[in-house]
Amino acid sequence: MRADGAREGLRQAMAWLHTWTGLVLGWLLFAIFLGGTFAFFKNELNLWSRPELHALPPAGPLSAAQLATYEDGIRRLAPQATSWRLSAPDDRHPQASVFYRNAPAAPGQRARFEQRWLDAEHGDAIPVRKTFGVGEYFYRFHFELRSAQQSKWILEGRWVVGLATLLMLVALLSGVVTHRRIFKDFFTFRPKSKATQRAWLDAHNLCGVLALPFYLVITFSGLMTMHSLYLPAPIDAAFGKQTAAYFGELSGDEVPRARARDGGAETPLPAIGAAGWDTILRDVHRRMPDGRIEGIGLQHEGGRTVVEFTPHDGDRLQYRGPRLFYDARTLTLIRRADNERPAAKTYGVLYGLHVARFADLPLRFVLAGLGLLGTAMIATGLVLWSVKRRADAERRKVGVGRGHRLVDALNIGAIAGMPIAMAAFCHATRWLPLDLTERPDGEIKVFFGVLALGFLAAALEARWRHLFVAGALAWAALPVMDAVGGWPFWEAGATVQAVNLGFVGIAALLAVLAWKCGPRAMPPRPGKSAKATADASGGGAAVSAVASSAALIGPQGGDAGRPATEGA
């Protein structure tokens, strides 16, 4: 019902829903989408974070002798380990890494997992700095808002992200209903429009319509990946307290993932040796002739020790392919786990679509481009809210309220401040002292501290261009830091050099944004000084280039971050 008492139509009601669901958590959605976009290159960014690995040659193919070398290294590294999992090297992961778990230090305590990288020649642990990893952190942040290495707020963060994702889905669906000309909007873009609001609306519509199927799939699949957290009642109704059986059935494994704690769970793992690995590998290759091996695990399961082989996720769309389990003593196959049931396969495909581990390099660039388009859609929508209400205030010849100024500041802090915080995290992985206690937590504190400074600067009336300049300098300094920081920059492989080139590209984009936000010389409008008009002209282009349209607003644009009556 409208304020004048007239009944609203469906489209008008959906327009209201679209506006407010997009605004309430839009700043958080921007950060989630941007973090998820970087996560498409998680392995490459993780490698960049550890310069100690840059000069090492890529490990060779996984063979029985190589597996025995790694096993010997793990036994020297963690002789009391009760389980370990080896990630085999590949084109994105040039060195083998191992996660292992020792027995608890004291009764009642939880055993902590440790990760190490292994030298392919001797199996020894490579001395690598303790870091969360750039790719791993952005990946974790985008679905659980990770605030510490061992965060106590992971579940709460996942709930917040789930709520934001649900609102994103509502905003997408209501936006489809709202747009009467959704197909025409695909081809409509008027960056030179005299009406600033029209230019921003075109940019928002274009970003939304261009990749609408991608947004719908990535949003719905993101909700599905954590369905057990958001919808526990159906699982409880079907399985009662045996929730482990549900997850076992979902993964196709008849033995629940919560392994039995008795039967030698506190005893060291047996050695298999080169001959044993050769026997198992020959059977694995016979049963999976066309598949690569991604992971090998050794763990206690009840009264026996089990070897688990996992195929490479890059070989299929469905997440978590068929796994083979062997008895570590008899070297015979125990079972094959595969989620072939329709419901489990549907879930696996949705999960696989979301994480996109099947994607090769060109496809990952396409997906990252779509992710950037999604962040631009969110950013242009947030700025459009301000532009539309400023225009309405000017028509009514009234000043803007505190709520409008708050949204302006939040727009600048979130949209222009997030890239600075991400660059600061990258710097922290290199410059924090290597002997710093809980060093990964220090990296995360740097990220949130710089992000808070961005919001503080926006509250103190910093302009779009100020933060974009700071972001451009921060990202441009990363390759320079790599070259002069004493790390083996020139010996690094193509992957690390490509990451540095990507940092340069981000810096260039932010520099273009800062330039577009600069003051423009314009003839004064009637009743306004030339200085006030020039000041009001600069910031309106702030996020337009994020939408890959640097010419969205030229001299005729208004400042998207401040009321038109305010100066620089």
mmCIF file of all heavy atoms in Angstrom, residues 238-284:
data_model
loop_
_atom_site.group_PDB
_atom_site.id
_atom_site.type_symbol
_atom_site.label_atom_id
_atom_site.label_comp_id
_atom_site.label_asym_id
_atom_site.label_seq_id
_atom_site.Cartn_x
_atom_site.Cartn_y
_atom_site.Cartn_z
ATOM 1 N N ALA A 238 15.099 -37.146 9.644
ATOM 2 C CA ALA A 238 15.374 -38.393 8.929
ATOM 3 C C ALA A 238 16.421 -39.255 9.621
ATOM 4 O O ALA A 238 16.353 -40.491 9.556
ATOM 5 C CB ALA A 238 15.822 -38.075 7.503
ATOM 6 N N PHE A 239 17.402 -38.626 10.299
ATOM 7 C CA PHE A 239 18.524 -39.387 10.847
ATOM 8 C C PHE A 239 18.634 -39.296 12.363
ATOM 9 O O PHE A 239 19.472 -39.982 12.950
ATOM 10 C CB PHE A 239 19.847 -38.904 10.221
ATOM 11 C CG PHE A 239 19.998 -39.248 8.781
ATOM 12 C CD1 PHE A 239 19.499 -38.419 7.799
ATOM 13 C CD2 PHE A 239 20.647 -40.411 8.392
ATOM 14 C CE1 PHE A 239 19.628 -38.728 6.450
ATOM 15 C CE2 PHE A 239 20.791 -40.733 7.052
ATOM 16 C CZ PHE A 239 20.274 -39.890 6.077
ATOM 17 N N GLY A 240 17.817 -38.447 12.967
ATOM 18 C CA GLY A 240 17.904 -38.318 14.414
ATOM 19 C C GLY A 240 19.261 -37.803 14.844
ATOM 20 O O GLY A 240 19.780 -36.832 14.290
ATOM 21 N N LYS A 241 19.821 -38.468 15.846
ATOM 22 C CA LYS A 241 21.139 -38.060 16.338
ATOM 23 C C LYS A 241 22.278 -38.602 15.489
ATOM 24 O O LYS A 241 23.440 -38.250 15.710
ATOM 25 C CB LYS A 241 21.307 -38.521 17.788
ATOM 26 C CG LYS A 241 20.326 -37.868 18.754
ATOM 27 C CD LYS A 241 20.579 -38.334 20.184
ATOM 28 C CE LYS A 241 19.612 -37.665 21.151
ATOM 29 N NZ LYS A 241 19.850 -38.105 22.560
ATOM 30 N N GLN A 242 21.982 -39.441 14.523
ATOM 31 C CA GLN A 242 23.016 -40.047 13.682
ATOM 32 C C GLN A 242 23.325 -39.139 12.480
ATOM 33 O O GLN A 242 23.221 -39.554 11.327
ATOM 34 C CB GLN A 242 22.567 -41.432 13.207
ATOM 35 C CG GLN A 242 22.198 -42.378 14.319
ATOM 36 C CD GLN A 242 23.382 -42.661 15.236
ATOM 37 O OE1 GLN A 242 24.524 -42.782 14.777
ATOM 38 N NE2 GLN A 242 23.124 -42.768 16.526
ATOM 39 N N THR A 243 23.677 -37.906 12.756
ATOM 40 C CA THR A 243 23.947 -36.974 11.654
ATOM 41 C C THR A 243 25.183 -37.382 10.863
ATOM 42 O O THR A 243 25.288 -37.076 9.674
ATOM 43 C CB THR A 243 24.122 -35.551 12.197
ATOM 44 O OG1 THR A 243 25.144 -35.545 13.202
ATOM 45 C CG2 THR A 243 22.828 -35.042 12.813
ATOM 46 N N ALA A 244 26.137 -38.073 11.517
ATOM 47 C CA ALA A 244 27.320 -38.527 10.794
ATOM 48 C C ALA A 244 26.931 -39.481 9.668
ATOM 49 O O ALA A 244 27.578 -39.505 8.609
ATOM 50 C CB ALA A 244 28.296 -39.201 11.753
ATOM 51 N N ALA A 245 25.884 -40.259 9.876
ATOM 52 C CA ALA A 245 25.430 -41.172 8.824
ATOM 53 C C ALA A 245 24.898 -40.386 7.627
ATOM 54 O O ALA A 245 25.058 -40.812 6.475
ATOM 55 C CB ALA A 245 24.345 -42.097 9.373
ATOM 56 N N TYR A 246 24.269 -39.240 7.892
ATOM 57 C CA TYR A 246 23.785 -38.404 6.777
ATOM 58 C C TYR A 246 24.945 -37.917 5.916
ATOM 59 O O TYR A 246 24.909 -38.021 4.684
ATOM 60 C CB TYR A 246 23.002 -37.218 7.325
ATOM 61 C CG TYR A 246 22.726 -36.155 6.279
ATOM 62 C CD1 TYR A 246 21.762 -36.356 5.300
ATOM 63 C CD2 TYR A 246 23.449 -34.974 6.268
ATOM 64 C CE1 TYR A 246 21.512 -35.395 4.337
ATOM 65 C CE2 TYR A 246 23.210 -34.004 5.310
ATOM 66 C CZ TYR A 246 22.241 -34.224 4.347
ATOM 67 O OH TYR A 246 22.009 -33.275 3.388
ATOM 68 N N PHE A 247 25.991 -37.405 6.550
ATOM 69 C CA PHE A 247 27.122 -36.897 5.784
ATOM 70 C C PHE A 247 27.875 -38.027 5.093
ATOM 71 O O PHE A 247 28.419 -37.840 4.004
ATOM 72 C CB PHE A 247 28.053 -36.096 6.691
ATOM 73 C CG PHE A 247 27.451 -34.814 7.185
ATOM 74 C CD1 PHE A 247 27.019 -34.697 8.492
ATOM 75 C CD2 PHE A 247 27.280 -33.743 6.332
ATOM 76 C CE1 PHE A 247 26.451 -33.518 8.948
ATOM 77 C CE2 PHE A 247 26.705 -32.564 6.768
ATOM 78 C CZ PHE A 247 26.289 -32.452 8.087
ATOM 79 N N GLY A 248 27.912 -39.202 5.720
ATOM 80 C CA GLY A 248 28.504 -40.336 5.048
ATOM 81 C C GLY A 248 27.728 -40.739 3.811
ATOM 82 O O GLY A 248 28.295 -41.036 2.761
ATOM 83 N N GLU A 249 26.396 -40.740 3.915
ATOM 84 C CA GLU A 249 25.563 -41.071 2.761
ATOM 85 C C GLU A 249 25.692 -40.004 1.678
ATOM 86 O O GLU A 249 25.687 -40.312 0.478
ATOM 87 C CB GLU A 249 24.114 -41.196 3.217
ATOM 88 C CG GLU A 249 23.165 -41.684 2.142
ATOM 89 C CD GLU A 249 21.777 -41.956 2.674
ATOM 90 O OE1 GLU A 249 21.685 -42.580 3.758
ATOM 91 O OE2 GLU A 249 20.803 -41.558 2.021
ATOM 92 N N LEU A 250 25.814 -38.747 2.093
ATOM 93 C CA LEU A 250 25.953 -37.664 1.126
ATOM 94 C C LEU A 250 27.254 -37.781 0.349
ATOM 95 O O LEU A 250 27.314 -37.469 -0.848
ATOM 96 C CB LEU A 250 25.897 -36.315 1.846
ATOM 97 C CG LEU A 250 25.746 -35.069 0.984
ATOM 98 C CD1 LEU A 250 24.396 -35.070 0.270
ATOM 99 C CD2 LEU A 250 25.897 -33.812 1.831
ATOM 100 N N SER A 251 28.305 -38.247 0.999
ATOM 101 C CA SER A 251 29.595 -38.396 0.331
ATOM 102 C C SER A 251 29.764 -39.757 -0.325
ATOM 103 O O SER A 251 30.787 -40.008 -0.966
ATOM 104 C CB SER A 251 30.728 -38.169 1.340
ATOM 105 O OG SER A 251 30.740 -39.202 2.316
ATOM 106 N N GLY A 252 28.790 -40.637 -0.154
ATOM 107 C CA GLY A 252 28.874 -41.955 -0.755
ATOM 108 C C GLY A 252 29.701 -42.940 0.039
ATOM 109 O O GLY A 252 30.050 -44.006 -0.461
ATOM 110 N N ASP A 253 30.043 -42.604 1.275
ATOM 111 C CA ASP A 253 30.884 -43.471 2.096
ATOM 112 C C ASP A 253 30.010 -44.140 3.146
ATOM 113 O O ASP A 253 29.384 -43.471 3.968
ATOM 114 C CB ASP A 253 31.986 -42.646 2.761
ATOM 115 C CG ASP A 253 33.046 -43.527 3.392
ATOM 116 O OD1 ASP A 253 32.866 -44.757 3.393
ATOM 117 O OD2 ASP A 253 34.048 -42.979 3.886
ATOM 118 N N GLU A 254 29.976 -45.441 3.146
ATOM 119 C CA GLU A 254 29.138 -46.169 4.098
ATOM 120 C C GLU A 254 29.644 -46.029 5.525
ATOM 121 O O GLU A 254 28.897 -46.230 6.475
ATOM 122 C CB GLU A 254 29.085 -47.647 3.729
ATOM 123 C CG GLU A 254 30.446 -48.323 3.760
ATOM 124 C CD GLU A 254 30.408 -49.733 3.229
ATOM 125 O OE1 GLU A 254 29.566 -50.009 2.354
ATOM 126 O OE2 GLU A 254 31.232 -50.553 3.677
ATOM 127 N N VAL A 255 30.930 -45.691 5.682
ATOM 128 C CA VAL A 255 31.486 -45.474 7.019
ATOM 129 C C VAL A 255 31.455 -43.977 7.294
ATOM 130 O O VAL A 255 32.028 -43.207 6.545
ATOM 131 C CB VAL A 255 32.938 -45.990 7.112
ATOM 132 C CG1 VAL A 255 33.518 -45.705 8.495
ATOM 133 C CG2 VAL A 255 32.975 -47.477 6.812
ATOM 134 N N PRO A 256 30.769 -43.526 8.334
ATOM 135 C CA PRO A 256 30.683 -42.088 8.608
ATOM 136 C C PRO A 256 32.057 -41.466 8.772
ATOM 137 O O PRO A 256 33.024 -42.119 9.182
ATOM 138 C CB PRO A 256 29.870 -42.018 9.908
ATOM 139 C CG PRO A 256 29.120 -43.303 9.956
ATOM 140 C CD PRO A 256 30.016 -44.317 9.292
ATOM 141 N N ARG A 257 32.140 -40.175 8.444
ATOM 142 C CA ARG A 257 33.422 -39.487 8.532
ATOM 143 C C ARG A 257 33.894 -39.366 9.974
ATOM 144 O O ARG A 257 35.083 -39.177 10.227
ATOM 145 C CB ARG A 257 33.296 -38.096 7.922
ATOM 146 C CG ARG A 257 32.880 -38.107 6.480
ATOM 147 C CD ARG A 257 33.815 -38.925 5.627
ATOM 148 N NE ARG A 257 35.146 -38.378 5.587
ATOM 149 C CZ ARG A 257 36.181 -38.989 5.017
ATOM 150 N NH1 ARG A 257 36.016 -40.188 4.479
ATOM 151 N NH2 ARG A 257 37.364 -38.432 4.998
ATOM 152 N N ALA A 258 32.993 -39.422 10.941
ATOM 153 C CA ALA A 258 33.409 -39.417 12.346
ATOM 154 C C ALA A 258 33.922 -40.814 12.670
ATOM 155 O O ALA A 258 33.175 -41.721 13.005
ATOM 156 C CB ALA A 258 32.241 -39.032 13.248
ATOM 157 N N ARG A 259 35.216 -41.005 12.523
ATOM 158 C CA ARG A 259 35.808 -42.334 12.686
ATOM 159 C C ARG A 259 35.775 -42.779 14.144
ATOM 160 O O ARG A 259 35.746 -41.969 15.071
ATOM 161 C CB ARG A 259 37.254 -42.307 12.199
ATOM 162 C CG ARG A 259 37.411 -41.769 10.787
ATOM 163 C CD ARG A 259 36.795 -42.700 9.756
ATOM 164 N NE ARG A 259 36.922 -42.134 8.417
ATOM 165 C CZ ARG A 259 36.457 -42.705 7.331
ATOM 166 N NH1 ARG A 259 35.828 -43.857 7.402
ATOM 167 N NH2 ARG A 259 36.606 -42.134 6.151
ATOM 168 N N ALA A 260 35.821 -44.092 14.324
ATOM 169 C CA ALA A 260 35.845 -44.639 15.680
ATOM 170 C C ALA A 260 37.117 -44.196 16.385
ATOM 171 O O ALA A 260 38.186 -44.103 15.787
ATOM 172 C CB ALA A 260 35.781 -46.168 15.632
ATOM 173 N N ARG A 261 36.996 -43.899 17.679
ATOM 174 C CA ARG A 261 38.131 -43.391 18.439
ATOM 175 C C ARG A 261 38.939 -44.512 19.092
ATOM 176 O O ARG A 261 40.025 -44.271 19.601
ATOM 177 C CB ARG A 261 37.634 -42.440 19.534
ATOM 178 C CG ARG A 261 36.923 -41.215 18.988
ATOM 179 C CD ARG A 261 37.871 -40.327 18.225
ATOM 180 N NE ARG A 261 37.210 -39.138 17.720
ATOM 181 C CZ ARG A 261 37.810 -38.226 16.966
ATOM 182 N NH1 ARG A 261 39.066 -38.395 16.625
ATOM 183 N NH2 ARG A 261 37.153 -37.176 16.545
ATOM 184 N N ASP A 262 38.414 -45.716 19.094
ATOM 185 C CA ASP A 262 39.134 -46.795 19.747
ATOM 186 C C ASP A 262 39.933 -47.582 18.728
ATOM 187 O O ASP A 262 40.008 -47.233 17.568
ATOM 188 C CB ASP A 262 38.149 -47.724 20.474
ATOM 189 C CG ASP A 262 37.099 -48.286 19.523
ATOM 190 O OD1 ASP A 262 37.039 -47.811 18.381
ATOM 191 O OD2 ASP A 262 36.349 -49.195 19.934
ATOM 192 N N GLY A 263 40.546 -48.636 19.177
ATOM 193 C CA GLY A 263 41.247 -49.527 18.265
ATOM 194 C C GLY A 263 42.501 -48.921 17.692
ATOM 195 O O GLY A 263 42.755 -48.999 16.503
ATOM 196 N N GLY A 264 43.338 -48.264 18.533
ATOM 197 C CA GLY A 264 44.623 -47.770 18.071
ATOM 198 C C GLY A 264 44.626 -46.351 17.594
ATOM 199 O O GLY A 264 45.548 -45.940 16.904
ATOM 200 N N ALA A 265 43.611 -45.564 17.957
ATOM 201 C CA ALA A 265 43.548 -44.182 17.496
ATOM 202 C C ALA A 265 44.675 -43.338 18.058
ATOM 203 O O ALA A 265 44.977 -42.283 17.533
ATOM 204 C CB ALA A 265 42.199 -43.572 17.868
ATOM 205 N N GLU A 266 45.295 -43.764 19.166
ATOM 206 C CA GLU A 266 46.379 -42.998 19.753
ATOM 207 C C GLU A 266 47.751 -43.578 19.410
ATOM 208 O O GLU A 266 48.764 -43.100 19.914
ATOM 209 C CB GLU A 266 46.211 -42.959 21.292
ATOM 210 C CG GLU A 266 44.867 -42.400 21.744
ATOM 211 C CD GLU A 266 44.645 -40.972 21.282
ATOM 212 O OE1 GLU A 266 45.638 -40.230 21.178
ATOM 213 O OE2 GLU A 266 43.491 -40.602 21.012
ATOM 214 N N THR A 267 47.823 -44.597 18.598
ATOM 215 C CA THR A 267 49.099 -45.222 18.247
ATOM 216 C C THR A 267 49.619 -44.645 16.943
ATOM 217 O O THR A 267 48.852 -44.212 16.086
ATOM 218 C CB THR A 267 48.931 -46.738 18.103
ATOM 219 O OG1 THR A 267 47.984 -46.995 17.052
ATOM 220 C CG2 THR A 267 48.418 -47.338 19.395
ATOM 221 N N PRO A 268 50.942 -44.604 16.752
ATOM 222 C CA PRO A 268 51.506 -44.085 15.499
ATOM 223 C C PRO A 268 51.061 -44.927 14.312
ATOM 224 O O PRO A 268 50.669 -46.084 14.417
ATOM 225 C CB PRO A 268 53.013 -44.187 15.732
ATOM 226 C CG PRO A 268 53.179 -44.240 17.219
ATOM 227 C CD PRO A 268 51.969 -44.947 17.732
ATOM 228 N N LEU A 269 51.151 -44.317 13.162
ATOM 229 C CA LEU A 269 50.725 -44.984 11.929
ATOM 230 C C LEU A 269 51.809 -45.935 11.432
ATOM 231 O O LEU A 269 53.006 -45.668 11.581
ATOM 232 C CB LEU A 269 50.446 -43.927 10.854
ATOM 233 C CG LEU A 269 49.310 -42.947 11.177
ATOM 234 C CD1 LEU A 269 49.345 -41.763 10.216
ATOM 235 C CD2 LEU A 269 47.963 -43.643 11.098
ATOM 236 N N PRO A 270 51.429 -47.060 10.836
ATOM 237 C CA PRO A 270 52.426 -47.994 10.304
ATOM 238 C C PRO A 270 53.057 -47.460 9.024
ATOM 239 O O PRO A 270 52.479 -46.619 8.330
ATOM 240 C CB PRO A 270 51.602 -49.251 10.029
ATOM 241 C CG PRO A 270 50.229 -48.736 9.736
ATOM 242 C CD PRO A 270 50.053 -47.537 10.633
ATOM 243 N N ALA A 271 54.242 -47.956 8.718
ATOM 244 C CA ALA A 271 54.926 -47.591 7.473
ATOM 245 C C ALA A 271 54.500 -48.543 6.368
ATOM 246 O O ALA A 271 54.394 -49.754 6.570
ATOM 247 C CB ALA A 271 56.435 -47.640 7.674
ATOM 248 N N ILE A 272 54.265 -47.996 5.174
ATOM 249 C CA ILE A 272 53.834 -48.818 4.042
ATOM 250 C C ILE A 272 55.022 -49.159 3.152
ATOM 251 O O ILE A 272 55.161 -50.291 2.685
ATOM 252 C CB ILE A 272 52.735 -48.085 3.247
ATOM 253 C CG1 ILE A 272 51.487 -47.937 4.135
ATOM 254 C CG2 ILE A 272 52.384 -48.839 1.972
ATOM 255 C CD1 ILE A 272 50.346 -47.209 3.488
ATOM 256 N N GLY A 273 55.897 -48.191 2.880
ATOM 257 C CA GLY A 273 57.103 -48.466 2.109
ATOM 258 C C GLY A 273 56.877 -48.443 0.611
ATOM 259 O O GLY A 273 55.736 -48.465 0.114
ATOM 260 N N ALA A 274 57.982 -48.419 -0.131
ATOM 261 C CA ALA A 274 57.912 -48.294 -1.586
ATOM 262 C C ALA A 274 57.183 -49.468 -2.224
ATOM 263 O O ALA A 274 56.370 -49.291 -3.144
ATOM 264 C CB ALA A 274 59.320 -48.162 -2.162
ATOM 265 N N ALA A 275 57.461 -50.684 -1.753
ATOM 266 C CA ALA A 275 56.808 -51.860 -2.340
ATOM 267 C C ALA A 275 55.298 -51.822 -2.097
ATOM 268 O O ALA A 275 54.500 -52.141 -2.992
ATOM 269 C CB ALA A 275 57.416 -53.135 -1.761
ATOM 270 N N GLY A 276 54.900 -51.441 -0.895
ATOM 271 C CA GLY A 276 53.475 -51.358 -0.595
ATOM 272 C C GLY A 276 52.787 -50.283 -1.422
ATOM 273 O O GLY A 276 51.684 -50.509 -1.951
ATOM 274 N N TRP A 277 53.420 -49.123 -1.557
ATOM 275 C CA TRP A 277 52.821 -48.068 -2.381
ATOM 276 C C TRP A 277 52.730 -48.494 -3.842
ATOM 277 O O TRP A 277 51.754 -48.159 -4.532
ATOM 278 C CB TRP A 277 53.637 -46.782 -2.268
ATOM 279 C CG TRP A 277 53.515 -46.071 -0.950
ATOM 280 C CD1 TRP A 277 54.504 -45.821 -0.046
ATOM 281 C CD2 TRP A 277 52.311 -45.517 -0.390
ATOM 282 N NE1 TRP A 277 54.007 -45.160 1.044
ATOM 283 C CE2 TRP A 277 52.666 -44.953 0.860
ATOM 284 C CE3 TRP A 277 50.988 -45.458 -0.804
ATOM 285 C CZ2 TRP A 277 51.738 -44.330 1.686
ATOM 286 C CZ3 TRP A 277 50.056 -44.837 0.013
ATOM 287 C CH2 TRP A 277 50.421 -44.273 1.239
ATOM 288 N N ASP A 278 53.702 -49.237 -4.307
ATOM 289 C CA ASP A 278 53.659 -49.704 -5.693
ATOM 290 C C ASP A 278 52.465 -50.635 -5.913
ATOM 291 O O ASP A 278 51.750 -50.528 -6.924
ATOM 292 C CB ASP A 278 54.968 -50.423 -6.036
ATOM 293 C CG ASP A 278 54.990 -50.902 -7.470
ATOM 294 O OD1 ASP A 278 55.018 -50.050 -8.389
ATOM 295 O OD2 ASP A 278 54.954 -52.129 -7.685
ATOM 296 N N THR A 279 52.212 -51.520 -4.956
ATOM 297 C CA THR A 279 51.073 -52.436 -5.078
ATOM 298 C C THR A 279 49.753 -51.672 -5.092
ATOM 299 O O THR A 279 48.863 -51.937 -5.917
ATOM 300 C CB THR A 279 51.087 -53.434 -3.909
ATOM 301 O OG1 THR A 279 52.316 -54.175 -3.937
ATOM 302 C CG2 THR A 279 49.914 -54.386 -4.002
ATOM 303 N N ILE A 280 49.620 -50.714 -4.180
ATOM 304 C CA ILE A 280 48.371 -49.963 -4.108
ATOM 305 C C ILE A 280 48.190 -49.083 -5.341
ATOM 306 O O ILE A 280 47.088 -49.009 -5.918
ATOM 307 C CB ILE A 280 48.342 -49.106 -2.819
ATOM 308 C CG1 ILE A 280 48.377 -49.998 -1.578
ATOM 309 C CG2 ILE A 280 47.091 -48.233 -2.785
ATOM 310 C CD1 ILE A 280 48.437 -49.239 -0.267
ATOM 311 N N LEU A 281 49.260 -48.410 -5.773
ATOM 312 C CA LEU A 281 49.143 -47.497 -6.916
ATOM 313 C C LEU A 281 48.748 -48.225 -8.187
ATOM 314 O O LEU A 281 47.969 -47.709 -8.994
ATOM 315 C CB LEU A 281 50.462 -46.746 -7.117
ATOM 316 C CG LEU A 281 50.663 -45.476 -6.286
ATOM 317 C CD1 LEU A 281 52.037 -44.877 -6.554
ATOM 318 C CD2 LEU A 281 49.573 -44.443 -6.598
ATOM 319 N N ARG A 282 49.277 -49.416 -8.393
ATOM 320 C CA ARG A 282 48.914 -50.169 -9.595
ATOM 321 C C ARG A 282 47.429 -50.483 -9.605
ATOM 322 O O ARG A 282 46.768 -50.412 -10.650
ATOM 323 C CB ARG A 282 49.750 -51.450 -9.675
ATOM 324 C CG ARG A 282 51.154 -51.208 -10.232
ATOM 325 C CD ARG A 282 51.906 -52.490 -10.566
ATOM 326 N NE ARG A 282 52.458 -53.111 -9.372
ATOM 327 C CZ ARG A 282 52.017 -54.220 -8.816
ATOM 328 N NH1 ARG A 282 50.970 -54.854 -9.345
ATOM 329 N NH2 ARG A 282 52.591 -54.720 -7.742
ATOM 330 N N ASP A 283 46.876 -50.818 -8.441
ATOM 331 C CA ASP A 283 45.442 -51.096 -8.371
ATOM 332 C C ASP A 283 44.624 -49.812 -8.540
ATOM 333 O O ASP A 283 43.565 -49.826 -9.183
ATOM 334 C CB ASP A 283 45.108 -51.756 -7.033
ATOM 335 C CG ASP A 283 43.683 -52.284 -6.992
ATOM 336 O OD1 ASP A 283 43.399 -53.278 -7.676
ATOM 337 O OD2 ASP A 283 42.842 -51.668 -6.298
ATOM 338 N N VAL A 284 45.112 -48.698 -7.982
ATOM 339 C CA VAL A 284 44.406 -47.413 -8.131
ATOM 340 C C VAL A 284 44.348 -47.013 -9.598
ATOM 341 O O VAL A 284 43.295 -46.614 -10.114
ATOM 342 C CB VAL A 284 45.093 -46.320 -7.285
ATOM 343 C CG1 VAL A 284 44.536 -44.939 -7.638
ATOM 344 C CG2 VAL A 284 44.917 -46.595 -5.802
#
